[in-house]
Amino acid sequence: MNERDFQVNPFVERFNDYINKINESLSREIESYSWSEFYLPLKYACHGGKRIRPLILNLAAETINNDNISSLNSKSRENIFAVSSAIELLHTESVIHDDIIDSDNIRRGLPSFHVKYGYNASILTADFILGIILNISAKTNNNRVTQELSTASIKMSEGEMLELRLVKNHKISQEEYITVIENKTASLFEASAKIGAILANGNEDQINALANFGRLLGIAYQIHDDLIDYNNEERLFNILVKQNDEDNIFIEIMENTYLNYSQLAKKELDGIESNHHSKKILQDLTNLGSFS
């Protein structure tokens, strides 16, 4: 990993300690495949990024544990960082697919994976990454973690497929748009927060609250992201905007929509009793400007 890319962003700088540990774990995982033809492609695929999803997993675990991850026993720490890597790898796999489907040639300031390695290698690398995720999941020996990773992967694929159909038809409702991003984006946010609570041995109320937090935050995050880029992309949100005669009014409606989702996400944390600073950080993350 090239650490210089992580220092220039205020978000990454704020969470430098967390991200360094996540990157160390991810690097160890990748290094264990140094024998493979996929080793260098893996390193390239995982280069850069804010590590938002594994960060949420870590913060959720600390919120439930009411202490730092470093205070946990070695096995618990190992599982948290290993599954953090699995979460980032699942996101990476989806990025490889998305860039092919969307014909995006640049990712994080570099050529997209399919531009660098070609379409065949992209498909195979994504398959290889799924194998790594399965291996990590097996080593945790936690059926609930495996189930959540599986559920997220299925929902992400469902969201992508629905988006393909809607873009092809060039017609979409606001409800369909929300369904797409709830599956394609928010499902992995939900899994990240929920798995953090599971690995920290949270009770069912805590696990459900953090799952809801992740899902709602993920929806808000994607709407916010789409609002920033909609003028530059012929994507689902762009199509949705063009269907409305008064763009400015509709944009304002969607801005209020993402703010509503972010406030609902924040409210989910109210019922979790925790004095740890990680809960405050999760609350702060509902201000989507904090991701910039």
Side-chain angles (χ1 to χ4, degrees):
M1 305 292 171
N2 187 338
E3 294 301 326
R4 288 179 299 176
D5 295 322
F6 294 95
Q7 301 302 321
V8 296
N9 185 284
F11 174 88
V12 174
E13 189 171 6
R14 178 185 178 188
F15 300 111
N16 189 54
D17 289 344
Y18 285 99
I19 292 171
N20 280 341
K21 290 176 182 177
I22 291 166
N23 284 334
E24 287 169 7
S25 177
L26 185 58
S27 291
R28 282 195 302 272
E29 195 63 47
I30 292 172
E31 287 301 317
S32 69
Y33 297 93
S34 60
W35 51 269
S36 172
E37 290 281 347
F38 291 99
Y39 173 62
L40 291 179
L42 268 174
K43 291 185 72 173
Y44 189 86
C46 293
H47 173 86
K50 298 176 185 176
R51 312 304 189 217
I52 292 170
R53 296 151 189 83
L55 172 64
I56 289 172
L57 188 155
N58 280 250
L59 294 171
E62 289 187 337
T63 297
I64 297 303
N65 187 52
N66 211 18
D67 203 349
N68 295 336
I69 290 172
S70 58
S71 70
L72 297 172
N73 62 58
S74 59
K75 181 60 177 175
S76 295
R77 288 198 308 272
E78 181 182 327
N79 280 345
I80 286 172
F81 284 115
V83 180
S84 294
S85 296
I87 287 287
E88 186 63 24
L89 286 165
L90 185 51
H91 173 58
T92 299
E93 181 195 22
S94 73
V95 165
I96 292 173
H97 289 150
D98 285 351
D99 285 347
I100 293 173
I101 292 168
D102 297 334
S103 299
D104 281 343
N105 294 326
I106 300 294
R107 169 70 62 169
R108 299 166 182 166
L110 294 172
S112 297
F113 193 91
H114 68 277
V115 174
K116 173 79 171 176
Y117 288 100
Y119 291 105
N120 291 343
S122 297
I123 294 168
L124 292 171
T125 301
D127 290 343
F128 191 82
I129 289 172
L130 181 58
I132 297 174
I133 295 167
L134 289 170
N135 189 39
I136 292 171
S137 178
K139 287 188 291 188
T140 64
N141 196 29
N142 189 316
N143 290 336
R144 292 194 72 177
V145 168
T146 301
Q147 182 63 61
E148 294 307 322
L149 289 170
S150 172
T151 298
S153 181
I154 290 169
K155 285 184 176 179
M156 290 163 73
S157 298
E158 286 285 340
E160 190 71 70
M161 185 66 84
L162 176 58
E163 181 176 19
L164 284 173
R165 177 171 63 80
L166 293 170
V167 169
K168 184 178 180 180
N169 295 340
H170 221 75
K171 185 177 181 181
I172 178 176
S173 68
Q174 187 174 339
E175 291 75 18
E176 287 172 323
Y177 166 72
I178 296 295
T179 299
V180 168
I181 64 175
E182 187 172 15
N183 283 279
K184 184 178 172 182
T185 301
S187 59
L188 194 52
F189 276 75
E190 177 179 352
S192 300
K194 189 173 184 178
I195 288 172
I198 290 169
L199 291 174
N201 298 315
N203 61 44
E204 290 305 312
D205 287 341
Q206 292 170 327
I207 291 170
N208 290 332
L210 276 162
N212 289 332
F213 164 82
R215 178 177 57 83
L216 294 164
L217 180 65
I219 295 171
Y221 174 88
Q222 190 60 59
I223 298 173
H224 179 263
D225 195 55
D226 287 345
L227 281 164
I228 293 171
D229 291 335
Y230 85 92
N231 277 322
N232 303 318
E233 300 178 342
E234 187 62 27
R235 302 278 177 79
L236 202 64
F237 187 77
N238 183 279
I239 294 170
L240 184 62
V241 172
K242 286 182 177 179
Q243 289 177 181
N244 291 270
D245 296 330
E246 298 185 59
D247 289 3
N248 290 337
I249 294 176
F250 181 72
I251 291 299
E252 184 177 345
I253 289 171
M254 293 309 293
E255 286 175 345
N256 289 331
T257 300
Y258 100 74
L259 288 170
N260 182 51
Y261 275 107
S262 66
Q263 287 303 307
L264 288 172
K266 189 174 185 178
K267 190 175 181 180
E268 287 291 336
L269 299 173
D270 290 345
I272 299 175
E273 293 185 10
S274 176
N275 297 320
H276 198 270
H277 68 273
S278 289
K279 178 181 175 180
K280 178 62 166 60
I281 295 172
L282 289 174
Q283 291 170 328
D284 291 346
L285 289 181
T286 60
N287 170 14
L288 277 296
S290 65
F291 287 102
S292 302

